[in-house]
Amino acid sequence: MKPFLKWAGGKYRLVDLIVKSLGQGNRLIEPFAGSCAVSLNTNYNSYWINDVNNDLISLYSIIVGDDSGFNSLIKCIERWFNNGNNPATYYQARNQFNQEKNLIDKAALFIYLNRHCFNGLCRYNLKGQFNVPFGKYKTIHYPVEELQTFRSKLQNAKFTCCDFRDVMSNADKGDVIYCDPPYVPISKTSNFTAYAPGIFGPADQRDLVTLAEEVSGRGITVVISNHYNEATKELYKNSEMIVFPVNRSISCNANNRQAVEEILAVYKQEAKT
């Protein structure tokens, strides 16, 4: 099932490969949830959905919350989507989003902006303001069915907004963990880490690997996605590496949208006794 959010680097098309790598478990943990493509297309007994983007987790919490909040969200989304595919409405919505205090209104604006902005990017400036430009799409899909599916599928999931270190450190035996962190840049000019305030840098990448190795020693499978290059070959040298091509780019130039290689780094051990 497709996520209701458009997402740069989304994993909807890679779910089968990711799920095969994760294997069986009682609970799926996503410390970098994004659009929840993996959780939505798996059948674990329970889910722990985490992300550092507070706007995203607030939206998810409203969707799976009480009927009143969900119905209010749907009505608010409909108002923005009706005749809203134009620059004037988009930039009005973006300005309002960056000032909005009401959580339901802000959640509705998040979805509106996501479906109408350039390439479905989620990007903030140093002031924490959403700053992606208008996308200029001829038609816009209103994902009401996908929203309802998300609500049904993840009704009983645990949603948190905290650091990945806190999440992974609290994993239990029987959990499996899928990590989709901000990617190591392919080149010096391709870094894209402004998904939420703060920067996910080399030290964070190393900490993630250290935790994956530690957690796997407790019998918990960890799978990490990233670009495949010299840096990640060294970073994930102690993992089982699965390398594959993907057609992915956030470039506005269609000629630059070519296949690149990605990696699934799999950490899987028997629990130490």
Side-chain angles (χ1 to χ4, degrees):
M1 58 188 75
K2 285 189 176 182
F4 66 86
L5 292 173
K6 298 168 65 176
W7 212 254
K11 296 300 184 291
Y12 174 69
R13 293 182 176 85
L14 301 177
V15 165
D16 289 345
L17 180 60
I18 293 168
V19 171
K20 182 179 179 181
S21 301
L22 285 167
Q24 296 181 340
N26 295 323
R27 177 175 66 169
L28 173 62
I29 301 176
E30 287 202 71
F32 309 86
S35 66
C36 290
V38 175
S39 289
L40 286 169
N41 288 280
T42 53
N43 290 297
Y44 293 97
N45 294 330
S46 60
Y47 297 86
W48 183 355
I49 307 297
N50 180 81
D51 204 281
V52 294
N53 187 319
N54 186 63
D55 294 327
L56 183 67
I57 294 300
S58 178
L59 165 61
Y60 288 163
S61 298
I62 291 169
I63 292 171
V64 301
D66 60 53
D67 290 344
S68 176
F70 179 70
N71 292 335
S72 295
L73 175 68
I74 294 299
K75 290 179 181 178
C76 190
I77 296 170
E78 288 174 350
R79 288 197 299 270
W80 281 105
F81 270 71
N82 287 335
N83 302 315
N85 189 21
N86 59 81
T89 302
Y90 177 82
Y91 288 111
Q92 176 192 348
R94 195 178 75 172
N95 289 337
Q96 183 172 331
F97 175 83
N98 287 327
Q99 303 173 46
E100 187 60 64
K101 303 300 181 185
N102 181 281
L103 293 181
I104 291 178
D105 289 340
K106 193 174 183 72
L109 285 162
F110 190 97
I111 295 175
Y112 167 82
L113 293 173
N114 172 264
R115 302 301 301 194
H116 292 77
C117 74
F118 173 72
N119 269 8
L121 293 180
C122 185
R123 186 186 66 197
Y124 298 79
N125 61 23
L126 294 177
K127 295 181 180 179
Q129 298 173 326
F130 187 88
N131 66 352
V132 183
F134 182 59
K136 302 179 182 178
Y137 298 108
K138 292 182 179 180
T139 59
I140 299 293
H141 173 60
Y142 171 41
V144 63
E145 292 184 5
E146 291 90 337
L147 281 162
Q148 292 167 339
T149 298
F150 185 101
R151 177 174 169 80
S152 176
K153 173 71 177 183
L154 298 176
Q155 184 74 51
N156 298 314
K158 176 181 179 180
F159 291 91
T160 58
C161 180
C162 55
D163 189 271
F164 71 91
R165 299 168 183 87
D166 297 326
V167 176
M168 293 178 69
S169 296
N170 285 285
D172 297 321
K173 187 175 180 180
D175 291 335
V176 293
I177 303 175
Y178 172 63
C179 299
D180 188 21
Y183 277 16
V184 171
I186 295 177
S187 66
K188 292 181 179 180
T189 60
S190 64
N191 200 2
F192 178 74
T193 56
Y195 159 71
I199 296 175
F200 196 92
D204 300 294
Q205 300 282 1
R206 291 192 295 271
D207 284 352
L208 178 56
V209 169
T210 298
L211 266 173
E213 293 177 348
E214 176 187 315
V215 168
S216 68
R218 294 192 269 127
I220 299 168
T221 299
V222 182
V223 178
I224 306 174
S225 287
N226 216 315
H227 287 137
Y228 180 65
N229 55 26
E230 291 302 316
T232 55
K233 282 169 64 177
E234 174 63 22
L235 189 65
Y236 303 131
K237 61 185 178 183
N238 295 327
S239 73
E240 174 192 344
M241 300 186 194
I242 302 171
V243 181
F244 52 93
V246 296
N247 288 307
R248 177 172 293 144
S249 173
I250 59 172
S251 172
C252 60
N253 185 345
N255 293 327
N256 291 334
R257 299 186 182 186
Q258 54 190 358
V260 297
E261 287 188 315
E262 289 197 6
I263 185 173
L264 288 180
V266 182
Y267 295 86
K268 189 173 186 178
Q269 305 176 28
E270 294 296 327
K272 296 177 181 178
T273 56

PDB file of all heavy atoms in Angstrom, residues 5 86 102 144 214 248 267:
ATOM      1  N   LEU A   5       1.940  10.268   1.953  1.00  0.00           N
ATOM      2  CA  LEU A   5       2.887  11.351   1.723  1.00  0.00           C
ATOM      3  C   LEU A   5       3.819  11.013   0.562  1.00  0.00           C
ATOM      4  O   LEU A   5       4.257   9.869   0.411  1.00  0.00           O
ATOM      5  CB  LEU A   5       3.739  11.594   2.973  1.00  0.00           C
ATOM      6  CG  LEU A   5       3.035  12.163   4.209  1.00  0.00           C
ATOM      7  CD1 LEU A   5       3.997  12.172   5.399  1.00  0.00           C
ATOM      8  CD2 LEU A   5       2.502  13.566   3.946  1.00  0.00           C
ATOM      9  N   ASN A  86      -2.281  26.261  -7.059  1.00  0.00           N
ATOM     10  CA  ASN A  86      -1.771  27.471  -7.692  1.00  0.00           C
ATOM     11  C   ASN A  86      -0.754  28.122  -6.753  1.00  0.00           C
ATOM     12  O   ASN A  86      -0.802  27.919  -5.530  1.00  0.00           O
ATOM     13  CB  ASN A  86      -2.911  28.444  -8.018  1.00  0.00           C
ATOM     14  CG  ASN A  86      -3.670  28.855  -6.778  1.00  0.00           C
ATOM     15  OD1 ASN A  86      -3.233  29.741  -6.043  1.00  0.00           O
ATOM     16  ND2 ASN A  86      -4.815  28.219  -6.514  1.00  0.00           N
ATOM     17  N   ASN A 102      -2.139  25.767  15.957  1.00  0.00           N
ATOM     18  CA  ASN A 102      -3.148  24.725  16.089  1.00  0.00           C
ATOM     19  C   ASN A 102      -2.639  23.449  15.415  1.00  0.00           C
ATOM     20  O   ASN A 102      -2.307  23.439  14.230  1.00  0.00           O
ATOM     21  CB  ASN A 102      -4.458  25.170  15.443  1.00  0.00           C
ATOM     22  CG  ASN A 102      -5.556  24.128  15.576  1.00  0.00           C
ATOM     23  OD1 ASN A 102      -5.578  23.155  14.827  1.00  0.00           O
ATOM     24  ND2 ASN A 102      -6.453  24.318  16.519  1.00  0.00           N
ATOM     25  N   VAL A 144      -7.053  10.641   0.377  1.00  0.00           N
ATOM     26  CA  VAL A 144      -7.952  10.345   1.490  1.00  0.00           C
ATOM     27  C   VAL A 144      -8.001   8.849   1.789  1.00  0.00           C
ATOM     28  O   VAL A 144      -8.025   8.442   2.968  1.00  0.00           O
ATOM     29  CB  VAL A 144      -9.372  10.908   1.222  1.00  0.00           C
ATOM     30  CG1 VAL A 144     -10.009  10.256  -0.004  1.00  0.00           C
ATOM     31  CG2 VAL A 144     -10.255  10.746   2.444  1.00  0.00           C
ATOM     32  N   GLU A 214      25.972  -3.252  18.259  1.00  0.00           N
ATOM     33  CA  GLU A 214      25.673  -3.580  19.653  1.00  0.00           C
ATOM     34  C   GLU A 214      24.314  -4.269  19.791  1.00  0.00           C
ATOM     35  O   GLU A 214      24.178  -5.296  20.465  1.00  0.00           O
ATOM     36  CB  GLU A 214      25.686  -2.294  20.489  1.00  0.00           C
ATOM     37  CG  GLU A 214      25.290  -2.480  21.941  1.00  0.00           C
ATOM     38  CD  GLU A 214      25.154  -1.153  22.658  1.00  0.00           C
ATOM     39  OE1 GLU A 214      26.037  -0.289  22.487  1.00  0.00           O
ATOM     40  OE2 GLU A 214      24.149  -0.974  23.381  1.00  0.00           O
ATOM     41  N   ARG A 248      16.879   7.201  -8.802  1.00  0.00           N
ATOM     42  CA  ARG A 248      16.441   8.172  -7.806  1.00  0.00           C
ATOM     43  C   ARG A 248      17.291   9.422  -7.907  1.00  0.00           C
ATOM     44  O   ARG A 248      18.502   9.358  -8.009  1.00  0.00           O
ATOM     45  CB  ARG A 248      16.565   7.588  -6.396  1.00  0.00           C
ATOM     46  CG  ARG A 248      16.203   8.561  -5.290  1.00  0.00           C
ATOM     47  CD  ARG A 248      16.148   7.863  -3.959  1.00  0.00           C
ATOM     48  NE  ARG A 248      15.041   6.916  -3.944  1.00  0.00           N
ATOM     49  CZ  ARG A 248      15.087   5.746  -3.329  1.00  0.00           C
ATOM     50  NH1 ARG A 248      16.162   5.381  -2.702  1.00  0.00           N
ATOM     51  NH2 ARG A 248      14.035   4.948  -3.359  1.00  0.00           N
ATOM     52  N   TYR A 267      22.740  -6.240   9.839  1.00  0.00           N
ATOM     53  CA  TYR A 267      23.429  -6.687  11.053  1.00  0.00           C
ATOM     54  C   TYR A 267      22.538  -7.706  11.731  1.00  0.00           C
ATOM     55  O   TYR A 267      21.441  -7.385  12.198  1.00  0.00           O
ATOM     56  CB  TYR A 267      23.700  -5.505  11.993  1.00  0.00           C
ATOM     57  CG  TYR A 267      24.660  -4.489  11.416  1.00  0.00           C
ATOM     58  CD1 TYR A 267      24.192  -3.465  10.592  1.00  0.00           C
ATOM     59  CD2 TYR A 267      26.015  -4.570  11.678  1.00  0.00           C
ATOM     60  CE1 TYR A 267      25.061  -2.530  10.049  1.00  0.00           C
ATOM     61  CE2 TYR A 267      26.906  -3.645  11.136  1.00  0.00           C
ATOM     62  CZ  TYR A 267      26.419  -2.628  10.332  1.00  0.00           C
ATOM     63  OH  TYR A 267      27.295  -1.710   9.792  1.00  0.00           O
TER      64      TYR A 267
END
